[in-house]
Amino acid sequence: MSQLIIAMDATIIFVALHEMGLRLQINAQQLQWVVSGYTVAFGGCLLLGGRAADLLGRRRMYRLGMLVFALASLVGGFSANAGVLVAARAAQGLGAAILFPATLALINTLYAEGPVRNRALAIWSMASAGGLALGTLLGGVLTQLLGWAWVLWVLVPLAAGCAWLAGHWLPRDGARAVGRSFDLWGCLSVTFGGSLLVTTLVQGPEWGWAAPATLACLGLSVLLLAVFVLIEKHSADPLMHFGLLRTPGLRAAIGLTMLFMSSFGVQYYFLALYYQDGYGWSPLQAGMAFLPPTLVCTLGIRIAERMLAARPPRQVLAWGLAAGALGIAGVAAALPHGSGYWPLLPGIVLLSLGQGMTWTAMWIVAGQGVPAAQQGVASGMAATAQQIGGALGLALLVMLANAARAAAPADSAQALQGLIHAQYGAALFAALGVVVALRLRPARLDCSSDNCLPSDA
């Protein structure tokens, strides 16, 4: 349910962006912040959420994350201007940052590594695909019939209900770990440093990469992250064991999650705008257009599950990312040829199969070889990279799209060509992911210490 809600929130927002921009008078660069405000908070607070899950209890953090998400969605629907809406989206990101690592840590500790955990993660991935499909349908229907605010309000009863049901269905948290601290200064430095870094990446195209504000924020974020490294190296109970980065799977997953969000994750943003600005489709039509991809994505998840039973994850990842690169490029090539959906369908099918295959295998790799006591932080590390990749990828591709547009209106030929350029950029990111996947090697645990940290294979 957590992944269903997080995934549904993503596609519901994309379909409603056009209407939000019109009703709240948000320009193209500010509109990016409706997406990126969530990304900044999510990416900046994930390590904090992972640490909280490991120390304070995974079920407890799951329920708290759901409640924060519900409250933020309620407030966001009442937004009267861009500032309140972006703040509410950031609060949603905080809730997701608490929820996401707690959910993955629950799966990775309740199910043993191997086929059983792979099956659990495949079901979790299918819930993600279901959320994407449900989001596109509800986003179009609610935006067209009731208004954009309902794409946020519809999440309130779902998240609040999950928080209540988790108290009955999820196993109780065990005794808290003795002798472990929360590492407050490490949490503060990495949270503020990570949030500021993502903010700089998002805002850089508008400020200018050489502008004093950009350079100052970038320098401060690097300083805070350097302080975090120093704190962790001298801490008796660090927030993040840097030995985890010796895990080949986690190290590769960090790169893969960044490239996944820079390719599969951002192309929905540009397609939603092209469908409405270029083709003149209604929100409902744009939402319906995203239904086939999410259904095919479910098939990709099933294919990955079967392939993983006989093949190593690196092969599944390479095939999935290659399919994604070809599919995204195929859609970009077909976009300018009329407003019909059929020319886009071959590319959509191919990229959606690749998306499902990549998503499942990527998170299986992220948890392999990681000791149970570090699963929350490891999940937070991979998910942090995912959000930074999404923010960086979206910032770079929006800059690429706007370079072709200049000051032209959103439905002009220049603006639409810019969206196509961005799609080709997303395809390139997916192609880079193939290279990372092919370099993946299995992990080997070094259990000579109590932490049982990974060693290089």
Side-chain angles (χ1 to χ4, degrees):
M1 284 303 298
S2 71
Q3 192 56 25
L4 180 89
I5 289 172
I6 290 172
M8 188 169 70
D9 181 54
T11 50
I12 268 186
I13 285 293
F14 280 138
V15 173
L17 282 174
H18 182 79
E19 185 74 11
M20 289 176 176
L22 291 176
R23 298 298 180 188
L24 300 182
Q25 298 181 338
I26 306 174
N27 63 37
Q29 189 65 41
Q30 292 173 330
L31 196 62
Q32 179 190 344
W33 269 100
V34 177
V35 178
S36 297
Y38 175 91
T39 303
V40 167
F42 195 175
C45 298
L46 272 163
L47 280 178
L48 176 62
R51 180 66 160 190
D54 286 340
L55 291 187
L56 303 180
R58 285 138 193 173
R59 186 182 77 156
R60 190 174 291 112
M61 290 300 103
Y62 178 97
R63 299 182 74 188
L64 177 62
M66 282 291 187
L67 287 174
V68 172
F69 204 98
L71 181 60
S73 300
L74 180 65
V75 173
F78 287 106
S79 300
N81 54 63
V84 176
L85 178 59
V86 171
R89 287 285 291 158
Q92 279 187 319
L94 174 61
I98 298 170
L99 181 62
F100 190 92
T103 305
L104 268 180
L106 279 165
I107 293 173
N108 287 334
T109 52
L110 291 175
Y111 300 95
E113 186 173 320
V116 177
R117 186 187 296 176
N118 291 355
R119 176 62 175 160
L121 285 169
I123 293 171
W124 175 76
S125 299
M126 288 179 192
S128 177
L132 292 173
L134 187 59
T136 58
L137 285 175
L138 283 177
V141 171
L142 293 174
T143 302
Q144 187 153 322
L145 297 182
L146 299 175
W148 65 264
W150 281 92
V151 305
L152 295 170
W153 286 338
V154 73
L155 300 170
V156 176
L158 292 174
C162 284
W164 178 71
L165 289 171
H168 297 275
W169 288 349
L170 290 181
R172 290 187 177 275
D173 296 318
R176 296 187 185 180
V178 178
R180 298 193 66 190
S181 67
F182 203 73
D183 190 12
L184 177 62
W185 293 112
C187 284
L188 290 175
S189 59
V190 74
T191 298
F192 284 110
S195 298
L196 189 58
L197 175 61
V198 178
T199 300
T200 307
L201 296 175
V202 169
Q203 202 63 19
E206 182 174 359
W207 289 345
W209 293 108
T214 304
L215 296 176
C217 288
L218 183 61
L220 182 57
S221 67
V222 171
L223 177 62
L224 286 170
L225 292 174
V227 169
F228 167 69
V229 172
L230 289 175
I231 291 172
E232 298 308 286
K233 285 187 174 180
H234 294 90
S235 174
D237 184 26
L239 168 65
M240 188 177 80
H241 287 282
F242 289 105
L244 286 173
L245 293 175
R246 296 200 302 269
T247 313
L250 180 58
R251 198 166 56 226
I254 287 173
L256 289 168
T257 54
M258 293 185 72
L259 291 168
F260 179 93
M261 287 302 293
S262 297
S263 53
F264 295 106
V266 303
Q267 51 100 22
Y268 287 104
Y269 176 90
F270 299 105
L271 286 178
L273 294 178
Y274 200 102
Y275 289 157
Q276 295 175 81
D277 292 333
Y279 293 168
W281 292 356
S282 68
L284 179 58
Q285 289 174 311
M288 292 293 291
F290 286 117
L291 180 58
T294 53
L295 295 177
V296 176
C297 183
T298 304
L299 177 60
I301 293 167
R302 293 289 295 172
I303 291 172
E305 184 185 355
R306 291 180 179 274
M307 288 182 68
L308 285 163
R311 297 177 181 273
R314 64 192 294 265
Q315 292 186 19
V316 180
L317 286 166
W319 279 104
L321 287 159
L326 292 173
I328 295 171
V331 170
L335 276 174
H337 299 294
S339 59
Y341 193 68
W342 289 108
L344 307 179
L345 200 55
I348 284 173
V349 168
L350 192 57
L351 78 88
S352 301
L353 286 173
Q355 181 174 354
M357 294 169 64
T358 304
W359 178 261
T360 303
M362 182 173 72
W363 291 108
I364 288 172
V365 166
Q368 286 182 337
V370 177
Q374 299 293 328
Q375 282 288 349
V377 169
S379 299
M381 291 166 64
T384 298
Q386 177 190 2
Q387 296 307 310
I388 290 175
L392 178 58
L394 184 60
L396 292 175
L397 295 178
V398 165
M399 182 171 60
L400 178 62
N402 289 341
R405 174 181 175 177
D411 58 354
S412 65
Q414 299 96 314
L416 297 177
Q417 187 59 47
L419 296 177
I420 293 171
H421 289 167
Q423 283 287 98
Y424 281 121
L428 179 60
F429 284 131
L432 290 175
V434 177
V435 178
V436 176
L438 291 176
R439 293 175 58 85
L440 179 63
R441 294 294 181 268
R444 192 174 66 215
L445 281 179
D446 176 10
C447 292
S448 58
S449 66
D450 292 338
N451 289 322
C452 197
L453 293 176
S455 61
D456 286 318

